[in-house]
Amino acid sequence: MAVSSSAPAIIFAVTVVTLLAVSSVKLPFHPRDLLPLLPRQLSWPLLDSLNSAVDLLPTYIGAASIKNDAVEWKGSCFYENKAWLELNNKSGSEFGGGTLHIKVEKAHSWTCMDIYVFVTPYRVTWDWYFVSREHTMEFSAWEGKAEYEYVKQKGVSIFLMEAGMVGTLRALWDVFPLFTNTGWGENSNIAFLEKHMGANFYARPQPWVTNITTDEIHSGDMLAISKIRGRWGGFETMEKWVSGAYAGHTAVCLRDSDGKLWVGESGNENEKGEDVIAVLPWEEWWEFEQTKDDANPHIALLPLHPDYRAKFNVTAAWEYARSMDGKPYGYHNLIFSWIDTISGNYPPPLDAHLVASVMTGLDLPDVLVEVEKRGSSFDELLAVPEQDDWIYSDGKSTSCIAFILEMYKEGGLFDPISSSIQVTEFTIKDAYMLKFFENNASRLPTWCNDNDNVKLPYCQILGKYRMELPGYNTMEPYPHMNEHCPSLPPKYHRPKNC
């Protein structure tokens, strides 16, 4: 009988899979560590079953501090670990530096390793450990008095990449295509959302562009947008996953006193490549989305209900829109609108410590230090309801949905409870769930879903896949809405009146 050239690899693969299944066997290596040695067509499906893009996120272990005993934990490779911090001044600098000691022992195999990330409000660094012994991480000099005081009180935060080297590299490979402007990237975004949110992507009949007559579009009608490839596609996929929204961007329609149709949008890229708030003629905006937006946008028009359209003060909405034109996109409210609770908004392994480490890169370290000085914690700060009148260091700014809902608020749609509504606490999902929109299919524009055999309660006007908006148009506004709502995947359960 002839034996193919791939037979040895197949036999090796079967052996590895068998060893993976026999968890009670003590081996000098872990079978998972051998998977990268297999041919790609054999190893990657196995790695896919063991790892995912979420494995790229580190898990908070604890903080090594001079004030406490050594922090101890079980790692992915080494099962007994401890770390402690020592302050010193080997560099002779004004505030000195320090040495982080990490002792790792009892590896589960000879071939594994653990990867760690070390964070203060002023720096992020990393290292990996392959050998059982005491290792050190040197901080030659603190970044001034603020970091010195912080480390003296709180120590250095330690994060573990639980997937190990192979899992982390595989996760990087899963995450990388999310942000690429390729068919591979688009398929990766779709696969991520299907796996982690349970989203569906059903193809619509062609043509995928609706022949719109704009006379049936009115001031206040919302545009829900979902992008699934390129930079914005990857960003929106992450946003959807953590918030539970099935759209990643929004804009709003406005008519001026002459009847001309415009689109207000926070997150429009200007000539300098900056994401800003802009008010654009409909024709310009719509042509760009059809012909120049390479993120494969899917767009749905959400018409206001006639009662809310009659209530909407278009003059006040225009006044607000003009006051914000050209201001920066509100990345700040994006974070605060997502996080409403101490722990109920973080999909594992995300937590407040990891968000804090990211904010270190957003030039906000002084915020972290000041919070600790006041006896609070960063997770408590994030859960504080954001106020609509907060002004950040770069001035007043809003996320895409906060910009629209502030317009609704100025236009009277939240009356008589507008004083108890903070729109910067709303996610995109919270917005399209508001019971502000048309609920009678006979009043939708005549061209609404004209080419689709599935009649949605809103009008999808662009995109290959049918847009889902679970919970659309179901929730009446109430005081302090969305100020304390959890949002954990995949069900994103929402308690009543949170």
Side-chain angles (χ1 to χ4, degrees), residues 216 303 305-306 438-445:
E216 296 184 84
H305 188 279
E438 181 59 83
N439 59 2
N440 185 337
S442 68
R443 291 197 296 254
L444 291 171

Side-chain angles (χ1 to χ4, degrees), residues 117-376:
V117 181
F118 307 106
V119 180
T120 80
Y122 294 86
R123 71 180 73 217
V124 177
T125 188
W126 69 281
D127 206 351
W128 56 271
Y129 304 120
F130 182 73
V131 179
S132 293
R133 65 177 177 84
E134 182 182 320
H135 303 265
T136 58
M137 168 66 67
E138 294 292 341
F139 300 93
S140 59
W142 305 118
E143 296 283 337
K145 183 178 181 181
E147 185 179 26
Y148 166 70
E149 292 292 344
Y150 180 91
V151 170
K152 191 167 68 172
Q153 296 297 320
K154 298 295 181 181
V156 175
S157 295
I158 303 172
F159 295 84
L160 168 68
M161 303 299 294
E162 287 198 278
M165 179 66 79
V166 172
T168 300
L169 291 175
R170 185 65 185 89
L172 277 170
W173 186 257
D174 283 343
V175 167
F176 170 73
L178 298 181
F179 297 87
T180 62
N181 189 11
T182 61
W184 175 38
E186 181 173 314
N187 291 335
S188 297
N189 278 291
I190 289 172
F192 185 97
L193 295 171
E194 287 176 333
K195 179 177 180 179
H196 295 287
M197 290 184 68
N200 297 305
F201 288 84
Y202 299 119
R204 302 165 65 221
Q206 294 197 52
W208 296 327
V209 182
T210 299
N211 186 17
I212 296 171
T213 54
T214 58
D215 57 336
E216 296 184 84
I217 300 176
H218 306 278
S219 289
D221 291 350
M222 187 185 294
L223 294 155
I225 304 162
S226 181
K227 303 185 180 186
I228 55 176
R229 67 192 295 171
R231 175 174 65 98
W232 277 110
F235 175 80
E236 287 189 16
T237 290
M238 295 292 104
E239 179 190 3
K240 292 168 187 172
W241 172 55
V242 299
S243 70
Y246 278 60
H249 187 52
T250 51
V252 67
C253 300
L254 287 171
R255 285 194 182 275
D256 62 21
S257 56
D258 296 325
K260 182 177 174 63
L261 185 62
W262 299 75
V263 175
E265 181 180 37
S266 180
N268 187 276
E269 189 172 313
N270 64 15
E271 315 79 46
K272 299 178 181 178
E274 302 165 329
D275 296 318
V276 298
I277 298 170
V279 182
L280 307 168
W282 165 268
E283 294 80 9
E284 178 184 334
W285 184 87
W286 182 229
E287 181 185 4
F288 177 86
E289 295 303 331
Q290 291 182 82
T291 63
K292 299 178 183 178
D293 191 336
D294 57 10
N296 193 0
H298 288 55
I299 303 175
L301 179 79
L302 318 183
L304 282 181
H305 188 279
D307 292 347
Y308 280 96
R309 184 176 300 139
K311 186 178 181 180
F312 189 46
N313 185 332
V314 179
T315 302
W318 264 110
E319 185 176 340
Y320 172 77
R322 290 190 179 105
S323 74
M324 297 296 290
D325 194 17
K327 287 184 168 52
Y329 177 80
Y331 288 101
H332 323 89
N333 8 96
L334 196 65
I335 294 174
F336 280 98
S337 66
W338 156 39
I339 300 168
D340 293 337
T341 67
I342 298 294
S343 60
N345 298 105
Y346 303 101
L350 280 176
D351 63 9
H353 301 283
L354 184 55
V355 173
S357 70
V358 172
M359 292 182 76
T360 299
L362 295 179
D363 198 26
L364 293 172
D366 292 336
V367 173
L368 310 184
V369 174
E370 187 61 29
V371 166
E372 301 290 353
K373 281 183 180 177
R374 297 189 182 194
S376 185

